[in-house]
Amino acid sequence: MAKTAEAAEVQNSTGDGTANGTGEQASTYDMVVVGAGFGGLYQVQRAREAGLSVIGFEAGADVGGTWYWNRYPGARCDIPSLLYSYTWSDDLRETWRWSEKYATQPEILDYARHVADRFDLRRHFQFDTRVASAVYDEDKAEWLVETDTGETVRARFCVMATGCLSVPKAPDIEGAASFKGTIYVTGLWPHEKVSFAGQRVAVIGTGSSAIQSLPLIAAEASAVTVFQRTPNYSLPALNREISDEERAVFDAFFPDYKAALKAGASPLPIPPVGYQPTEEELSTSIAKMWNGDGLISLVMIPNLVRDAVTNARAGDYVREQVKAIVKDPEVAEALTPRGFPIGAKRACVDTDYYDTFNQPHVTLVDLRKTPIAAITPTGVRTTVADVEVDAIVYAVGFDAMTGALNRMDIRGRGGRALKEVWSEGPKTYLGVAVAGFPNLFLVTGPGSPSVLTNMMTAIEQHVDWITDAIGYLGARQIGAIEPSGEAQEAWVAHVNEEADKTLFPQAASWYLGANVPGKPRVFMPYVGEGYKIRCDQVAAAGYEGFVLSRRGEAA
Ligand code: N01
């Protein structure tokens, strides 16, 4: 695809296009941004404000990132919409009104589009274009970025805003290709309306995507069979419209919220580590899991992921609720999560998930007792039965946090591939940069809190930090920034130490890479306290732990 006129308009503040290694002309920008989700949109906005020329590439046909692709029925955010919002623009806050406590995917996608329209961001992006490779040219201290359409651009800075959950796992069950019915993957849902009316549907997986979509699929289908390998903990969303009073309360609270974020407070009301609640406080906070505050109620239980006794009590509370909701005791038992701490896999927030199993046309297959043997042309074969279906919905998850980065060919100094450098697990400094990859930045990369906090504020914090770092370099005629190997090793060790103080490593979760066969088992998000404060201290100390070099100078 040819570069859009709009993209061309902003190219090249540093030159008129330079010859690339293949002899073709490559346009030159200050910054390439990969991805037009909430990370990429904000990074382009900040780059533009900083006077940088910027081009963004996006594989989808429009903005929205994860909300562009995950269009399955029931998809919603799992922290309240009022918090799942950018904080950087008052104008944006004043021109946007969330309708529900947990916004639907179409509404969140509309929000992304509204941002793109309001700040005229689309003209900086090239859509339907996937970045195939990003190679660091040490002589010129520039990134050479090539797309799947054969286009090459050069840029000093390369920002990967590629998302934590953007590479859906392939439905790689034996025989999958033989199925003659319709196949859906929750993370790659069709754009046109899907109807399950009168159909027999298989849903494979019981993570958030399945838990959100099952009740709506069951409302249409003639029969649904859910294939469950591991029962999950799910809390009721009790979704509803946001009242004017709630809006007013949030608006009044917003300045303090923003100030607290700036000072490094968590965007979620997490009690400090080690806080000792009274017995009454603990019981009340556990019971609040059923009040509709979803993941917020979970993170508010003091030491939930650090104290096994507290965790078991919270888990028991969910187990009692499942037993009370699901009428068939055998189905209730099969749906009851056991054997791993609540919260150690991301808990789900649902609307009528457990109750859906009380409907006569909904069947649960417990794969721990009767595993899937194969997908056949007509359905799903377990070790004991053939289940004939018209459609299969794969809700089998993502190659999380590293998947999107590893599927590009990213090469740093000496032509070293990121994939190789990360062959035993991702290594970063602060989750934002990688030693040996100068001027490459990761938005919410592994080693940062990302998925364990509010993604919107995590994105903003990283983009602000990256843009400030670039400003620091510009003001001092510094050409490149990259972590020192020592600082990176120390950070990786710290990330692991913090994870080991928690119950997180006790579950085979995507946080650990355990859901992808062959993926190194390393706990990827940062779970320690004071992350933003640490990042700010690093910056204030002249980017401590980073090596800063002038153009052409070896690090
Ligand atoms: O994926 P998952 P997801 N045969 O990995 C099962 C975010 N998200 O797409 O647990 C049979 O959680 C697998 O079983 P097991 C959110 O962060 C947010 O649902 O490995 N089953 C599991 O049950 C979430 O955590 C929202 O034993 C197979 C399921 O598939 C993350 O995305 C909504 C299988 C995968 O669950 C991922 O959620 C949706 C196989 N071969 C997603 N392979 C919000 O609410 C896998 N499974 C914002």
Side-chain angles (χ1 to χ4, degrees), residues 189-518:
W189 202 259
H191 285 220
E192 56 277 10
K193 168 120 186 71
V194 172
S195 170
F196 290 106
Q199 295 200 11
R200 300 160 304 168
V201 182
V203 175
I204 301 182
T206 49
S208 295
S209 304
I211 283 176
Q212 288 185 329
S213 56
L214 173 69
L216 293 170
I217 294 171
E220 286 186 1
S222 61
V224 185
T225 310
V226 179
F227 293 86
Q228 172 191 265
R229 202 161 61 179
T230 309
N232 229 320
Y233 294 91
S234 191
L235 316 180
L238 307 185
N239 194 38
R240 51 173 171 71
E241 285 191 1
I242 299 171
S243 68
D244 288 342
E245 194 188 341
E246 278 171 302
R247 271 180 232 287
V249 168
F250 186 76
D251 284 344
F253 157 71
F254 185 78
D256 287 346
Y257 173 60
K258 203 169 165 182
L261 289 178
K262 194 160 184 250
S266 166
L268 304 178
I270 303 175
V273 171
Y275 174 76
Q276 289 304 319
T278 63
E279 172 54 33
E280 196 190 342
E281 276 174 328
L282 185 58
S283 319
T284 308
S285 69
I286 288 175
K288 278 188 179 160
M289 281 190 291
W290 241 249
N291 283 2
D293 288 336
L295 298 187
I296 301 268
S297 60
L298 204 60
V299 299
M300 284 180 74
I301 300 172
N303 306 314
L304 178 82
V305 289
R306 292 171 188 270
D307 176 57
V309 175
T310 300
N311 193 286
R313 280 183 61 178
D316 285 345
Y317 186 85
V318 175
R319 288 184 271 276
E320 283 160 24
Q321 305 302 317
V322 177
K323 202 167 157 190
I325 299 168
V326 181
K327 298 200 173 90
D328 181 326
E330 213 177 309
V331 178
E333 179 51 32
L335 282 168
T336 300
R338 295 185 199 284
F340 65 97
I342 180 170
K345 278 185 165 192
R346 192 180 180 92
C348 309
V349 180
D350 73 89
T351 299
D352 299 334
Y353 174 66
Y354 292 120
D355 195 35
T356 300
F357 290 93
N358 291 325
Q359 298 179 32
H361 69 304
V362 178
T363 308
L364 182 69
V365 173
D366 185 346
L367 299 178
R368 293 167 301 181
K369 290 184 176 154
T370 59
I372 295 177
I375 304 293
T376 69
T378 55
V380 183
R381 176 172 299 155
T382 68
T383 46
V384 294
D386 272 300
V387 180
E388 302 223 326
V389 293
D390 305 300
I392 299 178
V393 174
Y394 288 99
V396 292
F398 297 84
D399 183 355
M401 304 201 72
T402 53
L405 295 161
N406 280 341
R407 82 171 170 186
M408 290 177 277
D409 186 13
I410 302 175
R411 289 177 185 268
R413 282 186 196 284
R416 283 203 77 191
L418 186 69
K419 261 190 275 283
E420 281 162 29
V421 175
W422 284 7
S423 61
E424 289 171 7
K427 289 186 170 185
T428 68
Y429 181 38
L430 301 172
V432 77
V434 185
F437 295 78
N439 290 349
L440 179 85
F441 297 101
L442 315 177
V443 177
T444 64
S448 73
S450 63
V451 292
L452 291 181
T453 179
N454 176 349
M455 278 308 293
M456 296 297 259
T457 53
I459 282 168
E460 285 186 7
Q461 187 250 327
H462 264 192
V463 168
D464 288 340
W465 191 94
I466 292 165
T467 314
D468 289 351
I470 290 172
Y472 180 93
L473 305 189
R476 290 163 182 76
Q477 284 84 48
I478 296 166
I481 180 169
E482 69 177 286
S484 73
E486 302 78 61
Q488 178 166 287
E489 286 305 318
W491 182 251
V492 170
H494 176 61
V495 170
N496 285 322
E497 271 162 27
E498 289 299 318
D500 288 344
K501 289 181 198 162
T502 72
L503 307 174
F504 278 110
Q506 294 182 20
S509 68
W510 57 257
Y511 298 142
L512 256 182
N515 65 328
V516 176

Side-chain angles (χ1 to χ4, degrees), residues 167-183:
V167 178
K169 272 173 49 180
D172 53 3
I173 302 170
E174 196 188 316
S178 71
F179 182 61
K180 297 274 184 266
T182 317
I183 293 172

